[in-house]
Amino acid sequence: FALMVTYGAITSIQDIVDLRYGRQDYILNNANGLPLDDLVEMRLFSRYGTSKTLGYALFDDANPASGFSIAQYDPAALEITNKQLIDGNFPEKKGEIAIENAMLNKLGFDGGIGDTIDLTLMVPDGTGFLGEKFEKSYTLTGILCDQYLYQMRWREETPVYSDLPAAIVSDQETIEAGGMYITKCYYVF
């Protein structure tokens, strides 16, 4: 009986860890141009998924370190990072977005699924950000379980290069002219 209870507790703890942090063993930031399939063939890891960050949404226009990244996720990355919805659906079309619950609260968003959310974005250019900020409107299609709050964030002057995205857009969304996607690779050994 004690063995069953212990196993159940470990399973529950692992479920909590997976929900808060994802199932990846490691994350490669700035994986643009890396030969990821070759690394799988060399058995450095067994599988991977990628996200492509295309913007950094600001909470406070005066503080560019305050905000969260917005990215496209491939299906493998969604599974490996264990992105889960509290409500709604993942975005399927251009102009749609799913955002973590805590980020919606921090934005002061009092709408719901199907409503429009306006964001001020800084767009990465490969080393920093483009000189101007962009106003974007999205239709909220989903509210994600919080992961951003639990994940260790390495603060840099350009957080979009190391932050894990707290919002997901469809693969039909495009980056602003002059911007450069920041690819993150989530892999499993």
Side-chain angles (χ1 to χ4, degrees):
F1 176 74
L3 183 59
M4 282 180 29
V5 171
T6 302
Y7 176 76
I10 291 171
T11 301
S12 297
I13 291 169
Q14 185 62 54
D15 290 343
I16 291 168
V17 169
D18 287 352
L19 183 60
R20 289 185 178 175
Y21 300 99
R23 298 181 185 108
Q24 66 275 352
D25 290 316
Y26 198 75
I27 301 166
L28 287 172
N29 290 315
N30 294 320
N32 297 18
L34 289 179
L36 299 173
D37 290 331
D38 293 347
L39 298 176
V40 171
E41 285 181 30
M42 294 167 37
R43 299 178 191 230
L44 294 177
F45 46 88
S46 63
R47 61 191 176 99
Y48 71 91
T50 59
S51 67
K52 292 178 8 182
T53 300
L54 51 94
Y56 188 76
L58 300 173
F59 295 124
D60 175 3
D61 199 31
N63 182 7
S66 171
F68 59 92
S69 295
I70 297 172
Q72 302 166 337
Y73 276 70
D74 67 22
L78 281 175
E79 187 272 321
I80 291 169
T81 59
N82 200 27
K83 293 288 187 188
Q84 303 225 352
L85 291 159
I86 295 171
D87 192 14
N89 298 295
F90 289 108
E92 295 178 356
K93 298 184 282 195
K94 185 174 182 166
E96 296 181 341
I97 194 168
I99 303 175
E100 289 186 11
N101 190 50
M103 300 303 111
L104 288 169
N105 291 334
K106 198 164 180 180
L107 286 165
F109 183 71
D110 60 358
I113 301 298
D115 289 342
T116 299
I117 185 164
D118 298 316
L119 299 173
T120 300
L121 297 181
M122 296 189 326
V123 175
D125 65 5
T127 57
F129 294 102
L130 296 177
E132 64 182 297
K133 295 179 179 121
F134 298 87
E135 300 298 322
K136 298 280 281 188
S137 294
Y138 295 98
T139 300
L140 184 68
T141 62
I143 300 172
L144 298 166
C145 291
D146 294 326
Q147 287 183 328
Y148 187 76
L149 294 174
Y150 300 108
Q151 296 168 342
M152 182 177 202
R153 294 171 14 146
W154 297 271
R155 294 312 265 158
E156 299 175 359
E157 288 184 34
T158 52
V160 72
Y161 293 90
S162 59
D163 281 8
L164 298 178
I168 299 171
V169 293
S170 83
D171 61 0
Q172 296 174 16
E173 201 68 40
T174 56
I175 196 165
E176 296 295 330
M180 181 177 159
Y181 290 103
I182 305 303
T183 302
K184 290 181 176 40
C185 173
Y186 311 89
Y187 66 84
V188 177
F189 290 121

